[in-house]
Amino acid sequence: METVYFLGRFHVLILHLPLGILFLAILLEVVGKFRPFLALCEAVPLLWGAGAISAIATVILGIMHATEPGFQDSPGVELHRWAGVALAAASSLVAILRLRAYLVKYGVRVPDRLASRGAPTSIALVGLLMVTTGHLGGNLTHGDSYLVEFAPGPLRYLIGIEDKYVRPKPKNFESADLYLDVVEPAIMDRCVLCHNDSKTSGGLSFVSYDKLMRGGKSGPIIVPGAPDKSDLVRRIELSDRHDDFMPKDGKTPLTDDEVASIRTWVAAGARASVPIAELKLEPKIEEILRRNLGFSNAGTAGGEQLGQSKSGDYDNLPIVSAAPPRALAALEAADFVARPIAQDSNLLDIEYTGIASVSPSQLDLLGDVAPQIFRLNLRNAGIDDRALARLGSMSNLRRLRLEGARVSDSGVRQLTMLKQLRYLNLTGTGVTDAGLAQLEALPNLREVYLWGSGVTEHGVQRLKHRRSDILVDRGAFNFIQVRY
Amino acid sequence: MNRFSIDSQALGNVSRRAILCGGLGLGAVAAAELLAGGAVLSATGPSKPGPLPATGSTADKGILGTGHFPARAKRVVSMHMMGAPSQVDTFEYKPMLWKMHGQEIPPSVKGDARISAMSNGQSAFPIMRPLREFRQYGQSGRWVSELMPYTAQIVDDLTFVHSLHTEHVNHDPAAIFLHTGFQLPGRPSAGAWVNYALGTDNDQLPSFVVLKSQIRGAGVAANANTWGAGFLPSHHQGVEFRGGAEPVLFVGNPDGMSREVRRGQLDLIAELSRAQYDRTGDPEILSKVSQYEMAYRMQESVPEATDISDEPDHVLALYGEDVHRPGSFARNCLLARRLIERGVKYVELIHVGWDDHARIAVGHPLECRATDQPSAALVADLKQRGLLSDTLVTWGGEFGRTSYAQGGINETSGRDHHGGNFTMWMAGGGLKPGIAYGQTDDFSYNIVDAPHSLHDLHATMLHLLGIDHTQLTFHYQGRDFRLTDVAGELIKPILA
């Protein structure tokens, strides 16, 4: 079976031969009537012979190609097949008529009158069939609106197709529609090539919402509200090495953002119109949709974080220039371990590994790379209020460990300069409720740990009340004792 | 430095005849050894002869230096319950097992997969109900057995995966597979891979530490391959801390030897080793020297890290009574927390017991009691110190146990090994807390939804550490190896 598929693929290659040769044959037939080109008539019989043979070969390969599963249900295939067969037959007829001089040698006699009368009709038929077969074949591959998709207005009117309706881009994120502005364009772009009315792989056509929801040979591919049960979602989320992965055959896959958007759409009920304003979106999904629609919040501090999102630490990573190599080397020599947070980032993750308290000169070294610092561990580094002041220039710092630091509430005020801070560890410090309250000013703060500090439950509740998006952990966890 | 410098004395002892006529056996090997300086026989790989480690903070940052993308977790605590806990008696609630207690497991469920030789001789496979009742806990409403009352109190921080499976039904191959991605010994353990990839955050302490404990009469033993370095340079292996009062023997200097004298001694050893390395190029020399240097640093760091006298009483109470007994799992959990605080990147806690082929009604409660409170305490303690946010904690065995009884239903009943599905819990950086992922059938015998191999677990673990598991490889025996072998897909639904 696979051999047939393999040979069948060559139909698409070989078909260009009869198209070219028969066209040339017809051209020479016409042109050869005029005196300057009389000599070209000599070539005509050969062209017809070659054209007929190549047409027959194309038909044979085409029949093989049509055995592929994707073509079984397409209505367009039948018509194309019969037109092709007719073309092969007609071109063979013309070839016989034109080659009759040579066929006499084999005992085939074609009457002259038949030849002269029949030839022009047959030639015209061949021309007509070429256009028909070729156009139908093109539709199978590219869809039937391919040629006229970008036709200008007046021409569209003449041909009689409706104006291509281009949905205007949404003005802002809230007025966008999840299906019409995100999902439908993605499906039209990547899927309709093989799933349209002419070529219905799997019996599926995606050219309209109704057809998309109707499904195909194996039933509906979308179960509204249940993305995990929807075959469409399943297939696009598979690894691209998997046999069932869609799109097949090396066609450009949907982007991760598009996949996530489709899943969200199915989960929200898979309706034909889903205004985004009506949806309750998780921050990550919202970010993805914003990106898709071009309304991304990149750069604005905080944005619209809904509730706790600890993975938000790594969203919208700032791009910074590289830290000076000498500064990094100096850090390494001074009991710090500094690494980039990832291979392609200049942001730094710095740990203090010294046993003694960090000295002012060591803090100076940190200051040299302040804009690059993303994560900093100063656990038991003997940090006091004065040292905290030196941290203020770390504008990109997101995670800070200060366990055991000798800081008080006035030192904490210095921390409020760290606008990007998301995680703060103040366990074992002298911070009290007053200091804790100041942390309210940190717009991006998500987690703060206060075990073993001077903070009371009152202070914790107060901060939680004013900033419900911050996880405030006072520690002092105790189990309910269990008697065995 | 010249890796290919040849010792002319040695070469003089090899005649042309020996090389040419010695055949393609020993003669060629000898020639290779001499000409390529021994490098041919040692593991190939991106081993660059670097400077010998000095005493300053020249922390080895691993071959990658940092992850391929930002890490959610910087440290790992892996709690390996060697011997294999029974999932239906701990974390997987299957009401059907009470309903069908004593009845034969339906053939449609049991199928015709091979059963381990320890129970395939049985004439009957009666379902045995779980040892204790299950109740729901936390906001997530997780069902947990009464055998695990302390873990039950932290379920909202845990991510359960019920659909792990393994092909291996005996302890050693399964445990080696769980740790190295292959069932035969010889490959590096996960901890060694992490150590190789990311090095250390605190060069004062070993970066991969192993703490073992066990129930008396455990019947199974921990396998050193589960923390070995395989074909990686041997300094990546886990450092075993002993269970007794002295976690590291002889870490102090003997009487009469001061730290300065020790330093001088190590400097001389380093010089001699450098000379030897220049001659032979054997990377194991570097490993050995680096371990000497590590031991030197450990002289100061280990006593401080393992001395628990500065722990407040309420913290000790969190881990339970056993914490006062050196060598117990509780004590090891406390030590693990201290090591994590001090920047150790990978701590493996191995508790051997669990292998209750018989008398599971006696055995499992003992093992649960030894491990339940300390494991939960470790998670809670890390959380209250703000460390759970970027530490990955895992808990589980090398396979599961059968829901049918081994040895009939009586006082000596047990459960046999079952690789078809088993349960692990995880917690920490980058995971979605309070969820249970993966479904098995009503008899906890077959996976119904989202099966995941241990390769997937490894891929996910490396992902949380910021590493693309397909990009962390080591060239050995002519091809590239990796922890996930040739498999491994991320378990995306459990990632935050």
Side-chain angles (χ1 to χ4, degrees):
Chain A
M1 213 34 175
E2 291 226 335
T3 321
V4 175
Y5 292 160
F6 170 65
L7 290 171
R9 291 288 168 106
F10 285 87
H11 168 76
V12 183
L13 180 72
I14 298 297
L15 67 86
H16 296 86
L17 281 179
L19 282 180
I21 298 172
L22 291 174
F23 174 77
L24 195 57
I26 296 175
L27 180 67
L28 289 193
E29 290 272 1
V30 169
V31 150
K33 298 249 188 302
F34 299 98
R35 192 196 296 273
F37 305 105
L38 277 174
L40 292 175
C41 291
E42 302 267 340
V44 165
L46 174 66
L47 286 176
W48 280 115
I53 291 172
S54 60
I56 293 169
T58 305
V59 166
I60 293 172
L61 289 176
I63 292 173
M64 288 189 197
H65 192 37
T67 60
E68 270 193 44
F71 289 109
Q72 299 299 16
D73 305 310
S74 300
V77 177
E78 279 296 299
L79 206 55
H80 174 70
R81 188 208 312 260
W82 287 118
V85 169
L87 174 61
S91 55
S92 306
L93 178 62
V94 177
I96 291 173
L97 294 179
R98 282 289 180 258
L99 288 167
R100 59 195 162 93
Y102 304 95
L103 292 178
V104 168
K105 266 193 256 180
Y106 301 97
V108 178
R109 296 205 62 241
V110 181
D112 282 343
R113 264 218 319 253
L114 182 62
S116 52
R117 289 247 201 87
T121 327
S122 314
I123 293 170
L125 193 61
V126 166
L128 194 65
L129 284 170
M130 254 174 55
V131 172
T132 314
T133 315
H135 182 67
L136 288 171
N139 282 356
L140 280 177
T141 320
H142 291 291
D144 48 14
S145 59
Y146 186 71
L147 281 179
V148 295
E149 190 174 340
F150 297 107
L155 193 55
R156 298 181 95 94
Y157 181 66
L158 282 174
I159 301 173
I161 51 179
E162 52 192 33
D163 263 337
K164 184 174 154 84
Y165 172 62
V166 177
R167 187 177 155 80
K169 270 182 77 69
K171 284 217 175 37
N172 54 36
F173 183 65
E174 284 70 23
S175 65
D177 186 295
L178 179 55
Y179 177 72
L180 294 170
D181 291 316
V182 181
V183 173
E184 194 181 39
I187 292 185
M188 288 296 142
D189 208 14
R190 309 294 174 116
C191 316
V192 159
L193 211 58
C194 294
H195 295 289
N196 53 53
D197 290 338
S198 315
K199 180 168 174 184
T200 53
S201 306
L204 293 163
S205 171
F206 292 166
V207 297
S208 70
Y209 174 78
D210 295 316
K211 294 206 170 111
L212 175 64
M213 299 305 286
R214 194 186 313 156
K217 266 198 299 200
S218 326
I221 54 166
I222 294 178
V223 178
D228 291 317
K229 296 206 184 81
S230 302
D231 209 36
L232 172 68
V233 177
R234 178 183 78 89
R235 282 181 183 251
I236 59 180
E237 286 182 344
L238 285 171
S239 141
D240 58 4
R241 294 194 295 275
H242 198 284
D243 273 348
D244 284 350
F245 177 71
M246 280 292 154
K248 277 172 107 91
D249 298 337
K251 301 253 184 343
T252 314
L254 294 154
T255 64
D256 283 348
D257 281 356
E258 285 168 344
V259 171
S261 307
I262 291 177
R263 172 174 266 274
T264 307
W265 170 68
V266 174
R271 294 193 303 279
S273 168
V274 185
I276 283 186
E278 288 175 14
L279 290 173
K280 277 182 72 86
L281 295 167
E282 280 175 38
K284 242 185 355 149
I285 303 291
E286 186 181 322
E287 177 62 35
I288 288 175
L289 291 174
R290 278 182 183 274
R291 255 206 309 271
N292 239 347
L293 292 162
F295 295 116
S296 183
N297 260 352
T300 54
E304 293 157 331
Q305 304 274 7
L306 312 162
Q308 244 157 257
S309 168
K310 295 210 200 73
S311 65
D313 282 15
Y314 301 94
D315 293 341
N316 295 336
L317 290 177
I319 313 276
V320 296
S321 55
R326 245 177 326 142
L328 286 177
L331 275 173
E332 294 280 312
D335 284 343
F336 287 100
V337 174
R339 324 172 183 234
I341 65 166
Q343 307 243 320
D344 55 358
S345 176
N346 287 322
L347 294 165
L348 294 174
D349 174 349
I350 300 186
E351 305 245 343
Y352 178 66
T353 61
I355 306 176
S357 295
V358 66
S359 68
S361 55
Q362 282 171 312
L363 288 172
D364 282 342
L365 295 176
L366 282 180
D368 288 342
V369 297
Q372 281 84 12
I373 300 182
F374 182 89
R375 195 157 41 199
L376 181 58
N377 178 6
L378 291 171
R379 175 179 182 271
N380 286 346
I383 296 285
D384 55 14
D385 288 346
R386 248 182 331 154
L388 270 189
R390 317 282 290 272
L391 302 184
S393 54
M394 297 177 187
S395 49
N396 286 313
L397 182 61
R398 292 200 187 183
R399 293 181 75 93
L400 177 60
R401 284 178 65 181
L402 286 173
E403 294 109 289
R406 295 192 294 274
V407 302
S408 64
D409 294 337
S410 51
V412 172
R413 197 171 335 126
Q414 315 281 358
L415 293 175
T416 55
M417 289 200 278
L418 300 171
K419 294 295 175 211
Q420 292 298 323
L421 200 62
R422 278 144 168 84
Y423 165 100
L424 180 59
N425 195 327
L426 290 170
T427 61
T429 63
V431 175
T432 68
D433 290 345
L436 183 63
Q438 295 176 74
L439 295 179
E440 196 189 322
L442 288 169
N444 284 305
L445 191 63
R446 290 290 168 270
E447 298 170 70
V448 60
Y449 295 92
L450 298 152
W451 186 57
S453 67
V455 165
T456 68
E457 191 57 32
H458 172 77
V460 168
Q461 290 306 325
R462 188 165 175 276
L463 181 61
K464 274 192 178 165
H465 180 68
R466 296 172 85 89
R467 288 285 301 275
S468 59
D469 56 337
I470 302 182
L471 167 78
V472 188
D473 191 333
R474 205 165 66 89
F477 179 85
N478 276 311
F479 285 117
I480 302 168
Q481 289 302 314
V482 173
R483 232 167 273 288
Y484 287 104
Chain B
M1 66 130 266
N2 185 2
R3 266 167 62 121
F4 298 97
S5 55
I6 297 168
D7 181 358
S8 52
Q9 177 89 15
L11 199 54
N13 293 332
V14 179
S15 71
R16 258 200 337 270
R17 173 171 293 170
I19 292 176
L20 294 173
C21 303
L24 297 170
L26 293 176
V29 170
E33 170 84 38
L34 291 165
L35 292 171
V40 172
L41 296 180
S42 56
T44 55
S47 49
K48 294 188 291 287
L52 290 180
T55 51
S57 171
T58 51
D60 167 32
K61 291 200 229 120
I63 198 77
L64 293 181
T66 183
H68 300 104
F69 40 85
R72 300 324 194 239
K74 292 191 64 179
R75 296 164 289 271
V76 179
V77 177
S78 158
M79 293 194 264
H80 179 46
M81 300 295 126
M82 179 108 183
S86 157
Q87 71 278 10
V88 302
D89 291 305
T90 51
F91 300 116
E92 207 181 18
Y93 178 52
K94 296 291 172 190
M96 183 66 79
L97 301 178
W98 276 278
K99 269 205 273 248
M100 291 204 45
H101 173 72
Q103 296 177 45
E104 180 76 5
I105 185 171
S108 56
V109 172
K110 188 157 150 295
D112 46 15
R114 248 177 0 161
I115 301 233
S116 98
M118 290 170 275
S119 59
N120 65 4
Q122 287 178 190
S123 51
F125 298 89
I127 299 279
M128 183 160 72
R129 64 171 170 236
L131 296 172
R132 295 281 189 281
E133 294 293 321
F134 275 66
R135 281 193 282 141
Q136 282 183 288
Y137 293 87
Q139 283 189 335
S140 46
R142 188 73 47 235
W143 287 96
V144 178
S145 164
E146 284 171 5
L147 280 180
M148 293 290 202
Y150 287 94
T151 309
Q153 295 181 43
I154 57 158
V155 279
D156 286 334
D157 292 316
L158 304 180
T159 307
F160 287 88
V161 181
H162 291 300
S163 54
L164 293 170
H165 61 87
T166 180
E167 282 172 21
H168 311 290
V169 291
N170 216 337
H171 299 290
D172 280 341
I176 293 174
F177 182 71
L178 170 63
H179 288 87
T180 72
F182 191 66
Q183 71 272 22
L184 297 178
R187 297 209 191 174
S189 57
W193 278 108
V194 171
N195 190 276
Y196 170 67
L198 298 175
T200 181
D201 284 338
N202 177 359
D203 59 347
Q204 302 296 317
L205 283 170
S207 172
F208 176 17
V209 175
V210 179
L211 296 156
K212 283 188 324 194
S213 57
Q214 66 179 67
I215 287 282
R216 193 186 305 226
V220 191
N223 188 309
N225 288 290
T226 59
W227 64 84
F231 44 69
L232 293 175
S234 51
H235 61 270
H236 296 301
Q237 69 185 306
V239 173
E240 243 189 282
F241 278 21
R242 294 174 72 253
E246 254 196 271
V248 178
L249 279 177
F250 310 126
V251 69
N253 288 322
D255 288 341
M257 176 179 277
S258 70
R259 198 155 158 80
E260 289 68 37
V261 172
R262 174 67 86 190
R263 183 67 253 158
Q265 185 185 49
L266 290 178
D267 287 339
L268 179 62
I269 292 178
E271 230 181 275
L272 294 171
S273 303
R274 162 61 82 197
Q276 180 70 5
Y277 181 76
D278 283 347
R279 280 182 40 218
T280 65
D282 183 357
E284 283 300 300
I285 296 175
L286 292 183
S287 285
K288 197 151 76 168
V289 171
S290 77
Q291 293 304 82
Y292 279 132
E293 296 295 331
M294 171 57 70
Y296 179 73
R297 292 193 288 272
M298 280 166 66
Q299 287 189 317
E300 292 198 327
S301 63
V302 164
E304 190 275 325
T306 56
D307 174 16
I308 66 166
S309 58
D310 63 351
E311 293 283 344
D313 286 337
H314 67 271
V315 171
L316 292 176
L318 203 60
Y319 290 82
E321 283 295 308
D322 281 347
V323 78
H324 299 286
R325 197 164 47 85
S328 66
F329 184 72
R331 172 64 73 99
N332 288 343
C333 282
L334 181 62
L335 287 178
R337 188 221 84 212
R338 291 177 70 92
L339 292 171
I340 290 284
E341 270 183 308
R342 286 155 181 76
V344 172
K345 257 204 184 304
Y346 201 107
V347 179
E348 171 98 9
L349 290 154
I350 304 181
H351 185 77
V352 187
W354 300 106
D355 192 32
D356 295 315
H357 290 278
R359 290 186 190 82
I360 190 173
V362 173
H364 255 51
L366 279 177
E367 287 124 20
C368 289
R369 192 155 157 183
T371 57
D372 170 40
Q373 184 174 0
S375 0
L378 178 57
V379 172
D381 204 9
L382 286 174
K383 183 175 177 192
Q384 70 183 356
R385 290 163 202 269
L387 293 172
L388 188 62
S389 173
D390 57 3
T391 304
L392 172 64
V393 184
T394 65
W395 188 105
E398 62 268 28
F399 36 68
R401 299 200 92 85
T402 55
S403 45
Y404 64 75
Q406 186 173 359
I409 308 252
N410 48 52
E411 316 81 52
T412 60
S413 299
R415 296 191 194 273
D416 198 4
H417 302 168
H418 180 66
N421 61 285
F422 62 105
T423 296
M424 268 198 159
W425 61 252
M426 302 161 64
L431 291 167
K432 268 196 208 138
I435 65 166
Y437 177 68
Q439 283 265 46
T440 59
D441 63 18
D442 290 335
F443 297 85
S444 187
Y445 206 85
N446 299 294
I447 296 177
V448 161
D449 183 41
H452 283 290
S453 70
L454 295 173
H455 293 305
D456 295 342
L457 185 69
H458 291 149
T460 309
M461 185 191 92
L462 288 175
H463 176 88
L464 291 171
L465 289 165
I467 299 173
D468 178 346
H469 68 105
T470 60
Q471 302 282 326
L472 176 61
T473 60
F474 188 85
H475 196 81
Y476 179 65
Q477 286 185 338
R479 71 149 168 123
D480 289 333
F481 282 80
R482 66 188 206 215
L483 174 60
T484 47
D485 205 13
V486 292
E489 303 278 349
L490 289 183
I491 309 177
K492 286 200 185 140
I494 63 173
L495 299 178

